[in-house]
Amino acid sequence: FQCHGPDAGKRQAELRLDDPKSALDHRDGKPAIIPGDASHSRVYQRLVTSDADERMPPAETGSALTPEEIGRIRRWIDEGGEYETHWAF
């Protein structure tokens, strides 16, 4: 959530992935996450694209997701992409 989390000062593209309303709102015709359909969800597409200019996170950040992490995100989206309140709240 470094770039798409609650910190408005660091947030990119006005997209919050920790907030279901933001992640599911339509931007340019479709939401970032389409519950039940990872292959058509922009979030997943940006993680697996071969286009270095489109891939997230950008190479210049020095961060990268492992194949296992990408797989977990795909499964979560394919299984409905449900957001839950943290147990401590």
Side-chain angles (χ1 to χ4, degrees), residues 23-88:
L24 300 173
D25 274 351
H26 284 256
R27 298 171 184 282
D28 300 323
K30 70 184 220 181
I33 296 173
I34 301 171
D37 191 357
S39 64
H40 288 99
S41 295
R42 286 186 178 175
V43 165
Y44 181 73
Q45 291 171 346
R46 297 290 295 266
L47 294 174
V48 299
T49 184
S50 59
D51 182 342
D53 292 332
E54 293 289 318
R55 189 175 313 117
M56 291 291 144
E60 62 267 13
T61 67
S63 297
L65 295 171
T66 66
E68 292 81 16
E69 291 168 326
I70 293 171
R72 269 188 248 135
I73 292 169
R74 180 182 181 107
R75 280 190 307 280
W76 174 73
I77 294 171
D78 281 341
E79 292 173 359
E82 291 186 32
Y83 282 79
E84 296 179 4
T85 304
H86 190 277
W87 63 268

Side-chain angles (χ1 to χ4, degrees), residues 1-12 15 17 57 61-63:
F1 294 119
Q2 186 174 17
C3 296
H4 298 289
D7 186 345
K10 294 182 179 180
R11 190 174 315 126
Q12 301 295 311
L15 172 62
L17 294 175
T61 67
S63 297

